[in-house]
Amino acid sequence: MTPHLHQLFPDLTGTVPHIALGTSPTPVRRLSALDTTGAELWVKDDSVFGAGGWGGNKVRKLEWLLPDALRLGRRTIVTVGGLGTNWGLATALYGREHGLKTVLALVDQPVDDHVRGQLERLRASGAELHFTHTKARTILAAPVILARNFSGRRPPYLLPAGGSSPVGALGYVEAALELAAQIRAGELPEPSHIVTAVGSGGTVAGLSLGMRLAGLPTRVVGVVVNDTLRLDEPTLTRLADRTARLLRDRGARLPENVSPTGNLDIVTDWIGPGYGYPTPEAATAQTLSADLEQLNLEPVYTAKAMAALLDMNARGRFGPGPVVFLNTNGPR
Ligand SMILES: *Cc1c(COP(=O)(O)O)cnc(C)c1O
């Protein structure tokens, strides 16, 4: 199917290539058991986006990033993540299918069973792993890692943590346009808010731009779960603006008034002791979601986002809603 982004801006068809890696649209459903206080709750379930049982929000970004790397003739992707990086694993697995090698610099994060499992999967993925431990040592090691991964004179395709470059954010511009089409088709009511986790920001930045391109007044509520990156509202708005500029530079005729923002709310009270550390509120939200709604969350991102949503809803912060929870967690 033609992506919504190409339907809206046909000029991008040749300049911003897309490779379908998942099945869309992802389903939306009501969460009736969780919305006993406050607004009507819904979920858009991106856990089922992807192939071969491997899904989640990183796959949506790779639909635009992999063809961008191939368009530039790159052979290798170099990127960074924590020891349990979903992003690094998705890049390694989907990149390999498209002839791209992945090189990962891994920084330390709290190690639990989930992270141990991820590390095993990373080792089996064919990615080249560099254990750089800290951000400072990653920066020191970067020139050597980059120099070793030239393919002839072609440099590697360098990506920030989480794939949150403007090209990566297009995955969630597309997802927002997809949600708008589901609203038009009557699958769900127009939401007042959409709530999701912020790990590196590409997801909320893409949603923020996509909602505005779709003409929806929905506010995007980003629940920050990562304290190792700068993820404040101006920084994330800048990423949304850079994404809009990319589309203009590649030939899209965006309405002039689309850049001025103001639809992004950033919430920072739910990180707990830090990125990857469990919190009791998140553990409760994870249990409630599984027991009441058969919604499978994980402790690093989605359970913290759901904890924020439930608390804000109980305090009436969403008014009558409706509120959409974007589930970014895929099965591994
Ligand atoms: C990476 C990730 C996020 C955060 O998305 P960003 O675009 O990096 O902010 C949320 N949930 C899960 C499960 C993730 O792996």
Side-chain angles (χ1 to χ4, degrees), residues 168-229:
L170 293 179
Y172 275 88
V173 175
E174 176 66 20
L177 298 176
E178 178 183 305
L179 181 67
Q182 289 173 303
I183 294 165
R184 279 197 304 276
E187 285 185 48
L188 77 162
E190 183 181 303
S192 63
H193 297 79
I194 181 165
V195 180
T196 200
V198 181
S200 63
T203 300
V204 284
L207 284 177
S208 162
L209 176 60
M211 289 297 179
R212 286 176 284 132
L213 290 175
L216 288 171
T218 307
R219 299 200 67 78
V220 178
V221 180
V223 181
V224 176
V225 302
N226 188 349
D227 54 353
T228 70
L229 297 172

Tab-separated table of all heavy atoms in Angstrom, residues 168-229:
chain	number	residue	atom	x	y	z
A	168	GLY	N	14.174	9.123	10.653
A	168	GLY	CA	13.555	8.137	11.536
A	168	GLY	C	12.199	8.605	12.057
A	168	GLY	O	11.254	7.808	12.172
A	169	ALA	N	12.095	9.897	12.356
A	169	ALA	CA	10.835	10.442	12.884
A	169	ALA	C	9.696	10.311	11.867
A	169	ALA	O	8.516	10.342	12.246
A	169	ALA	CB	11.014	11.908	13.290
A	170	LEU	N	10.039	10.155	10.582
A	170	LEU	CA	8.987	9.995	9.569
A	170	LEU	C	8.107	8.783	9.856
A	170	LEU	O	6.941	8.751	9.468
A	170	LEU	CB	9.604	9.848	8.171
A	170	LEU	CG	10.315	11.085	7.622
A	170	LEU	CD1	10.893	10.784	6.244
A	170	LEU	CD2	9.347	12.271	7.555
A	171	GLY	N	8.673	7.769	10.555
A	171	GLY	CA	7.865	6.604	10.907
A	171	GLY	C	6.632	6.993	11.705
A	171	GLY	O	5.558	6.400	11.556
A	172	TYR	N	6.780	8.012	12.561
A	172	TYR	CA	5.629	8.422	13.375
A	172	TYR	C	4.844	9.583	12.783
A	172	TYR	O	3.714	9.842	13.218
A	172	TYR	CB	6.025	8.593	14.848
A	172	TYR	CG	5.927	7.181	15.424
A	172	TYR	CD1	7.012	6.317	15.370
A	172	TYR	CD2	4.705	6.682	15.845
A	172	TYR	CE1	6.882	4.990	15.752
A	172	TYR	CE2	4.565	5.364	16.239
A	172	TYR	CZ	5.650	4.523	16.193
A	172	TYR	OH	5.496	3.217	16.558
A	173	VAL	N	5.397	10.261	11.772
A	173	VAL	CA	4.545	11.121	10.957
A	173	VAL	C	3.547	10.219	10.239
A	173	VAL	O	2.331	10.459	10.246
A	173	VAL	CB	5.385	11.930	9.932
A	173	VAL	CG1	4.474	12.719	9.003
A	173	VAL	CG2	6.360	12.859	10.647
A	174	GLU	N	4.072	9.133	9.662
A	174	GLU	CA	3.222	8.170	8.956
A	174	GLU	C	2.179	7.555	9.910
A	174	GLU	O	1.002	7.417	9.547
A	174	GLU	CB	4.105	7.080	8.340
A	174	GLU	CG	3.370	5.938	7.658
A	174	GLU	CD	2.592	6.354	6.407
A	174	GLU	OE1	2.896	7.422	5.842
A	174	GLU	OE2	1.678	5.606	6.006
A	175	ALA	N	2.611	7.177	11.121
A	175	ALA	CA	1.674	6.564	12.070
A	175	ALA	C	0.554	7.543	12.453
A	175	ALA	O	-0.604	7.141	12.630
A	175	ALA	CB	2.415	6.100	13.322
A	176	ALA	N	0.894	8.833	12.578
A	176	ALA	CA	-0.128	9.836	12.907
A	176	ALA	C	-1.126	9.976	11.755
A	176	ALA	O	-2.345	10.078	11.982
A	176	ALA	CB	0.531	11.186	13.206
A	177	LEU	N	-0.624	9.962	10.514
A	177	LEU	CA	-1.522	10.056	9.360
A	177	LEU	C	-2.412	8.810	9.281
A	177	LEU	O	-3.584	8.890	8.913
A	177	LEU	CB	-0.716	10.232	8.069
A	177	LEU	CG	0.141	11.508	7.979
A	177	LEU	CD1	0.975	11.508	6.698
A	177	LEU	CD2	-0.730	12.767	8.044
A	178	GLU	N	-1.831	7.681	9.661
A	178	GLU	CA	-2.599	6.419	9.692
A	178	GLU	C	-3.716	6.501	10.750
A	178	GLU	O	-4.855	6.105	10.488
A	178	GLU	CB	-1.612	5.295	10.021
A	178	GLU	CG	-2.207	3.913	10.142
A	178	GLU	CD	-1.119	2.908	10.546
A	178	GLU	OE1	-0.076	2.800	9.859
A	178	GLU	OE2	-1.318	2.219	11.565
A	179	LEU	N	-3.383	7.038	11.930
A	179	LEU	CA	-4.386	7.197	12.985
A	179	LEU	C	-5.490	8.149	12.531
A	179	LEU	O	-6.678	7.904	12.767
A	179	LEU	CB	-3.723	7.719	14.270
A	179	LEU	CG	-4.649	7.899	15.469
A	179	LEU	CD1	-5.164	6.548	15.977
A	179	LEU	CD2	-3.938	8.634	16.613
A	180	ALA	N	-5.098	9.229	11.840
A	180	ALA	CA	-6.097	10.187	11.337
A	180	ALA	C	-7.055	9.493	10.375
A	180	ALA	O	-8.272	9.748	10.407
A	180	ALA	CB	-5.397	11.361	10.647
A	181	ALA	N	-6.531	8.598	9.539
A	181	ALA	CA	-7.397	7.866	8.603
A	181	ALA	C	-8.344	6.941	9.373
A	181	ALA	O	-9.510	6.777	9.000
A	181	ALA	CB	-6.546	7.075	7.607
A	182	GLN	N	-7.868	6.353	10.460
A	182	GLN	CA	-8.735	5.484	11.275
A	182	GLN	C	-9.843	6.308	11.948
A	182	GLN	O	-10.961	5.822	12.103
A	182	GLN	CB	-7.900	4.730	12.321
A	182	GLN	CG	-7.011	3.652	11.695
A	182	GLN	CD	-6.061	3.010	12.700
A	182	GLN	OE1	-5.272	3.696	13.347
A	182	GLN	NE2	-6.131	1.695	12.834
A	183	ILE	N	-9.516	7.539	12.334
A	183	ILE	CA	-10.526	8.423	12.928
A	183	ILE	C	-11.576	8.788	11.871
A	183	ILE	O	-12.778	8.698	12.121
A	183	ILE	CB	-9.854	9.698	13.515
A	183	ILE	CG1	-8.963	9.316	14.702
A	183	ILE	CG2	-10.905	10.722	13.933
A	183	ILE	CD1	-7.985	10.405	15.123
A	184	ARG	N	-11.104	9.147	10.678
A	184	ARG	CA	-12.042	9.484	9.590
A	184	ARG	C	-12.949	8.306	9.251
A	184	ARG	O	-14.107	8.485	8.926
A	184	ARG	CB	-11.264	9.906	8.325
A	184	ARG	CG	-10.775	11.338	8.344
A	184	ARG	CD	-10.392	11.810	6.939
A	184	ARG	NE	-9.398	10.958	6.307
A	184	ARG	CZ	-8.080	11.064	6.488
A	184	ARG	NH1	-7.598	12.002	7.294
A	184	ARG	NH2	-7.250	10.250	5.873
A	185	ALA	N	-12.396	7.090	9.354
A	185	ALA	CA	-13.182	5.893	9.022
A	185	ALA	C	-14.124	5.495	10.160
A	185	ALA	O	-14.866	4.517	10.030
A	185	ALA	CB	-12.243	4.739	8.684
A	186	GLY	N	-14.061	6.209	11.284
A	186	GLY	CA	-14.983	5.933	12.385
A	186	GLY	C	-14.553	4.787	13.292
A	186	GLY	O	-15.342	4.300	14.101
A	187	GLU	N	-13.281	4.374	13.193
A	187	GLU	CA	-12.811	3.278	14.054
A	187	GLU	C	-12.641	3.724	15.500
A	187	GLU	O	-12.672	2.908	16.412
A	187	GLU	CB	-11.472	2.735	13.544
A	187	GLU	CG	-11.569	1.874	12.310
A	187	GLU	CD	-10.224	1.290	11.937
A	187	GLU	OE1	-9.536	0.749	12.829
A	187	GLU	OE2	-9.853	1.398	10.760
A	188	LEU	N	-12.360	5.001	15.685
A	188	LEU	CA	-12.235	5.558	17.042
A	188	LEU	C	-12.607	7.031	16.972
A	188	LEU	O	-12.561	7.629	15.892
A	188	LEU	CB	-10.819	5.364	17.612
A	188	LEU	CG	-9.683	6.278	17.149
A	188	LEU	CD1	-8.528	6.219	18.126
A	188	LEU	CD2	-9.207	5.915	15.760
A	189	PRO	N	-12.980	7.622	18.123
A	189	PRO	CA	-13.290	9.055	18.111
A	189	PRO	C	-12.012	9.882	18.053
A	189	PRO	O	-10.926	9.369	18.320
A	189	PRO	CB	-14.012	9.253	19.449
A	189	PRO	CG	-13.492	8.163	20.331
A	189	PRO	CD	-13.166	7.006	19.446
A	190	GLU	N	-12.146	11.161	17.702
A	190	GLU	CA	-10.977	12.039	17.659
A	190	GLU	C	-10.452	12.239	19.076
A	190	GLU	O	-11.174	12.713	19.948
A	190	GLU	CB	-11.373	13.383	17.054
A	190	GLU	CG	-10.206	14.326	16.905
A	190	GLU	CD	-10.632	15.672	16.321
A	190	GLU	OE1	-11.208	15.690	15.219
A	190	GLU	OE2	-10.396	16.687	16.995
A	191	PRO	N	-9.191	11.859	19.337
A	191	PRO	CA	-8.681	11.974	20.713
A	191	PRO	C	-8.283	13.405	21.060
A	191	PRO	O	-7.818	14.153	20.207
A	191	PRO	CB	-7.447	11.065	20.705
A	191	PRO	CG	-7.006	11.025	19.275
A	191	PRO	CD	-8.220	11.256	18.421
A	192	SER	N	-8.440	13.750	22.337
A	192	SER	CA	-7.916	15.041	22.807
A	192	SER	C	-6.424	14.920	23.089
A	192	SER	O	-5.689	15.893	22.978
A	192	SER	CB	-8.648	15.489	24.068
A	192	SER	OG	-8.420	14.569	25.124
A	193	HIS	N	-5.979	13.687	23.464
A	193	HIS	CA	-4.571	13.471	23.811
A	193	HIS	C	-4.119	12.111	23.295
A	193	HIS	O	-4.908	11.169	23.256
A	193	HIS	CB	-4.368	13.479	25.339
A	193	HIS	CG	-4.709	14.775	25.996
A	193	HIS	ND1	-6.011	15.141	26.264
A	193	HIS	CD2	-3.920	15.791	26.449
A	193	HIS	CE1	-6.007	16.341	26.854
A	193	HIS	NE2	-4.757	16.763	26.977
A	194	ILE	N	-2.829	12.026	22.951
A	194	ILE	CA	-2.202	10.735	22.689
A	194	ILE	C	-0.965	10.667	23.587
A	194	ILE	O	-0.192	11.620	23.665
A	194	ILE	CB	-1.879	10.521	21.193
A	194	ILE	CG1	-1.249	9.153	20.956
A	194	ILE	CG2	-1.022	11.626	20.600
A	194	ILE	CD1	-1.239	8.729	19.485
A	195	VAL	N	-0.841	9.567	24.341
A	195	VAL	CA	0.203	9.449	25.363
A	195	VAL	C	1.164	8.339	24.966
A	195	VAL	O	0.739	7.235	24.605
A	195	VAL	CB	-0.413	9.121	26.739
A	195	VAL	CG1	0.679	9.001	27.814
A	195	VAL	CG2	-1.442	10.177	27.131
A	196	THR	N	2.482	8.618	25.060
A	196	THR	CA	3.462	7.573	24.777
A	196	THR	C	4.789	7.891	25.465
A	196	THR	O	4.988	8.988	25.976
A	196	THR	CB	3.622	7.378	23.248
A	196	THR	OG1	4.184	6.098	22.980
A	196	THR	CG2	4.482	8.469	22.627
A	197	ALA	N	5.684	6.895	25.490
A	197	ALA	CA	6.974	7.065	26.159
A	197	ALA	C	7.950	7.843	25.275
A	197	ALA	O	7.869	7.785	24.051
A	197	ALA	CB	7.562	5.698	26.497
A	198	VAL	N	8.891	8.538	25.937
A	198	VAL	CA	9.962	9.237	25.223
A	198	VAL	C	11.293	8.635	25.661
A	198	VAL	O	11.695	8.775	26.819
A	198	VAL	CB	9.965	10.752	25.548
A	198	VAL	CG1	11.076	11.461	24.774
A	198	VAL	CG2	8.618	11.375	25.233
A	199	GLY	N	11.959	7.935	24.736
A	199	GLY	CA	13.271	7.363	25.024
A	199	GLY	C	14.373	8.115	24.310
A	199	GLY	O	15.435	8.393	24.862
A	200	SER	N	14.129	8.450	23.053
A	200	SER	CA	15.068	9.283	22.299
A	200	SER	C	14.339	10.367	21.518
A	200	SER	O	14.973	11.245	20.946
A	200	SER	CB	15.898	8.425	21.339
A	200	SER	OG	15.066	7.807	20.367
A	201	GLY	N	13.013	10.317	21.488
A	201	GLY	CA	12.213	11.454	21.032
A	201	GLY	C	11.656	11.376	19.619
A	201	GLY	O	10.767	12.162	19.271
A	202	GLY	N	12.138	10.444	18.793
A	202	GLY	CA	11.659	10.387	17.416
A	202	GLY	C	10.171	10.086	17.323
A	202	GLY	O	9.477	10.611	16.439
A	203	THR	N	9.692	9.277	18.245
A	203	THR	CA	8.277	8.898	18.203
A	203	THR	C	7.382	10.118	18.461
A	203	THR	O	6.491	10.411	17.659
A	203	THR	CB	7.998	7.777	19.224
A	203	THR	OG1	8.817	6.655	18.879
A	203	THR	CG2	6.538	7.366	19.220
A	204	VAL	N	7.625	10.841	19.548
A	204	VAL	CA	6.743	11.994	19.835
A	204	VAL	C	6.953	13.134	18.842
A	204	VAL	O	5.998	13.823	18.479
A	204	VAL	CB	6.871	12.541	21.286
A	204	VAL	CG1	6.168	11.642	22.272
A	204	VAL	CG2	8.290	12.832	21.669
A	205	ALA	N	8.196	13.326	18.378
A	205	ALA	CA	8.433	14.398	17.398
A	205	ALA	C	7.672	14.103	16.111
A	205	ALA	O	7.020	14.985	15.540
A	205	ALA	CB	9.934	14.538	17.113
A	206	GLY	N	7.714	12.850	15.661
A	206	GLY	CA	6.979	12.471	14.456
A	206	GLY	C	5.478	12.614	14.649
A	206	GLY	O	4.772	13.125	13.780
A	207	LEU	N	4.995	12.170	15.818
A	207	LEU	CA	3.556	12.295	16.102
A	207	LEU	C	3.121	13.761	16.110
A	207	LEU	O	2.068	14.112	15.572
A	207	LEU	CB	3.218	11.680	17.463
A	207	LEU	CG	3.164	10.158	17.588
A	207	LEU	CD1	2.895	9.778	19.047
A	207	LEU	CD2	2.112	9.547	16.670
A	208	SER	N	3.956	14.602	16.727
A	208	SER	CA	3.616	16.022	16.830
A	208	SER	C	3.452	16.634	15.438
A	208	SER	O	2.458	17.326	15.161
A	208	SER	CB	4.721	16.746	17.621
A	208	SER	OG	4.659	18.134	17.391
A	209	LEU	N	4.389	16.349	14.546
A	209	LEU	CA	4.290	16.881	13.186
A	209	LEU	C	3.137	16.222	12.431
A	209	LEU	O	2.360	16.909	11.755
A	209	LEU	CB	5.616	16.656	12.439
A	209	LEU	CG	5.632	17.077	10.969
A	209	LEU	CD1	5.333	18.567	10.813
A	209	LEU	CD2	6.986	16.732	10.324
A	210	GLY	N	3.019	14.914	12.574
A	210	GLY	CA	1.992	14.188	11.823
A	210	GLY	C	0.579	14.616	12.189
A	210	GLY	O	-0.288	14.754	11.321
A	211	MET	N	0.330	14.843	13.469
A	211	MET	CA	-0.998	15.291	13.900
A	211	MET	C	-1.320	16.640	13.272
A	211	MET	O	-2.448	16.878	12.813
A	211	MET	CB	-1.052	15.430	15.432
A	211	MET	CG	-1.033	14.115	16.174
A	211	MET	SD	-2.489	13.140	15.764
A	211	MET	CE	-2.170	11.693	16.725
A	212	ARG	N	-0.335	17.517	13.229
A	212	ARG	CA	-0.575	18.847	12.644
A	212	ARG	C	-0.780	18.754	11.138
A	212	ARG	O	-1.620	19.449	10.579
A	212	ARG	CB	0.567	19.794	13.009
A	212	ARG	CG	0.490	20.222	14.479
A	212	ARG	CD	1.656	21.086	14.889
A	212	ARG	NE	2.864	20.304	15.079
A	212	ARG	CZ	4.035	20.614	14.566
A	212	ARG	NH1	4.180	21.704	13.838
A	212	ARG	NH2	5.077	19.849	14.793
A	213	LEU	N	-0.022	17.879	10.462
A	213	LEU	CA	-0.220	17.697	9.016
A	213	LEU	C	-1.605	17.129	8.726
A	213	LEU	O	-2.195	17.404	7.683
A	213	LEU	CB	0.850	16.765	8.437
A	213	LEU	CG	2.278	17.320	8.382
A	213	LEU	CD1	3.243	16.251	7.899
A	213	LEU	CD2	2.330	18.549	7.484
A	214	ALA	N	-2.115	16.310	9.680
A	214	ALA	CA	-3.446	15.712	9.504
A	214	ALA	C	-4.554	16.693	9.886
A	214	ALA	O	-5.734	16.378	9.728
A	214	ALA	CB	-3.554	14.446	10.351
A	215	GLY	N	-4.170	17.852	10.405
A	215	GLY	CA	-5.179	18.843	10.798
A	215	GLY	C	-5.894	18.499	12.092
A	215	GLY	O	-7.001	18.978	12.335
A	216	LEU	N	-5.256	17.673	12.930
A	216	LEU	CA	-5.881	17.285	14.193
A	216	LEU	C	-5.352	18.143	15.343
A	216	LEU	O	-4.144	18.389	15.428
A	216	LEU	CB	-5.587	15.816	14.500
A	216	LEU	CG	-6.310	14.784	13.637
A	216	LEU	CD1	-5.754	13.389	13.897
A	216	LEU	CD2	-7.808	14.812	13.917
A	217	PRO	N	-6.231	18.577	16.256
A	217	PRO	CA	-5.781	19.388	17.389
A	217	PRO	C	-5.267	18.557	18.567
A	217	PRO	O	-4.939	19.104	19.625
A	217	PRO	CB	-7.064	20.135	17.780
A	217	PRO	CG	-8.169	19.194	17.408
A	217	PRO	CD	-7.693	18.422	16.202
A	218	THR	N	-5.196	17.240	18.393
A	218	THR	CA	-4.772	16.331	19.465
A	218	THR	C	-3.435	16.755	20.070
A	218	THR	O	-2.479	17.042	19.351
A	218	THR	CB	-4.618	14.905	18.871
A	218	THR	OG1	-5.817	14.569	18.197
A	218	THR	CG2	-4.308	13.895	19.956
A	219	ARG	N	-3.363	16.750	21.406
A	219	ARG	CA	-2.092	17.041	22.071
A	219	ARG	C	-1.304	15.752	22.245
A	219	ARG	O	-1.858	14.695	22.530
A	219	ARG	CB	-2.328	17.691	23.438
A	219	ARG	CG	-3.068	19.015	23.344
A	219	ARG	CD	-2.870	19.868	24.579
A	219	ARG	NE	-1.492	20.324	24.736
A	219	ARG	CZ	-0.939	21.337	24.051
A	219	ARG	NH1	-1.646	21.989	23.146
A	219	ARG	NH2	0.311	21.677	24.274
A	220	VAL	N	0.008	15.852	22.047
A	220	VAL	CA	0.895	14.695	22.170
A	220	VAL	C	1.585	14.788	23.532
A	220	VAL	O	2.315	15.749	23.791
A	220	VAL	CB	1.934	14.685	21.029
A	220	VAL	CG1	2.897	13.515	21.186
A	220	VAL	CG2	1.232	14.634	19.667
A	221	VAL	N	1.312	13.810	24.406
A	221	VAL	CA	1.884	13.816	25.759
A	221	VAL	C	3.025	12.803	25.790
A	221	VAL	O	2.810	11.598	25.645
A	221	VAL	CB	0.813	13.451	26.809
A	221	VAL	CG1	1.421	13.454	28.210
A	221	VAL	CG2	-0.375	14.411	26.720
A	222	GLY	N	4.251	13.299	25.948
A	222	GLY	CA	5.439	12.449	25.969
A	222	GLY	C	5.901	12.228	27.392
A	222	GLY	O	6.179	13.184	28.121
A	223	VAL	N	5.972	10.974	27.813
A	223	VAL	CA	6.415	10.627	29.161
A	223	VAL	C	7.883	10.224	29.086
A	223	VAL	O	8.230	9.161	28.564
A	223	VAL	CB	5.556	9.475	29.731
A	223	VAL	CG1	6.011	9.136	31.149
A	223	VAL	CG2	4.072	9.828	29.694
A	224	VAL	N	8.758	11.093	29.603
A	224	VAL	CA	10.195	10.868	29.469
A	224	VAL	C	10.646	9.737	30.391
A	224	VAL	O	10.350	9.752	31.588
A	224	VAL	CB	10.977	12.164	29.771
A	224	VAL	CG1	12.482	11.913	29.728
A	224	VAL	CG2	10.599	13.252	28.775
A	225	VAL	N	11.358	8.758	29.836
A	225	VAL	CA	11.855	7.631	30.632
A	225	VAL	C	13.377	7.549	30.600
A	225	VAL	O	13.962	6.618	31.159
A	225	VAL	CB	11.264	6.283	30.136
A	225	VAL	CG1	9.745	6.304	30.192
A	225	VAL	CG2	11.749	5.936	28.732
A	226	ASN	N	14.017	8.503	29.922
A	226	ASN	CA	15.464	8.439	29.726
A	226	ASN	C	16.088	9.734	30.224
A	226	ASN	O	15.749	10.816	29.740
A	226	ASN	CB	15.756	8.244	28.230
A	226	ASN	CG	17.212	7.972	27.957
A	226	ASN	OD1	18.063	8.111	28.833
A	226	ASN	ND2	17.522	7.599	26.734
A	227	ASP	N	16.977	9.638	31.203
A	227	ASP	CA	17.636	10.831	31.748
A	227	ASP	C	19.069	10.960	31.227
A	227	ASP	O	19.856	11.741	31.759
A	227	ASP	CB	17.616	10.796	33.284
A	227	ASP	CG	18.214	9.514	33.841
A	227	ASP	OD1	18.513	8.596	33.050
A	227	ASP	OD2	18.372	9.426	35.073
A	228	THR	N	19.430	10.201	30.192
A	228	THR	CA	20.798	10.308	29.655
A	228	THR	C	20.842	11.143	28.376
A	228	THR	O	21.899	11.354	27.817
A	228	THR	CB	21.398	8.916	29.360
A	228	THR	OG1	20.713	8.332	28.238
A	228	THR	CG2	21.277	7.987	30.561
A	229	LEU	N	19.693	11.585	27.900
A	229	LEU	CA	19.627	12.443	26.715
A	229	LEU	C	18.822	13.685	27.056
A	229	LEU	O	17.987	13.658	27.967
A	229	LEU	CB	18.940	11.727	25.549
A	229	LEU	CG	19.587	10.476	24.968
A	229	LEU	CD1	18.647	9.821	23.960
A	229	LEU	CD2	20.918	10.816	24.316
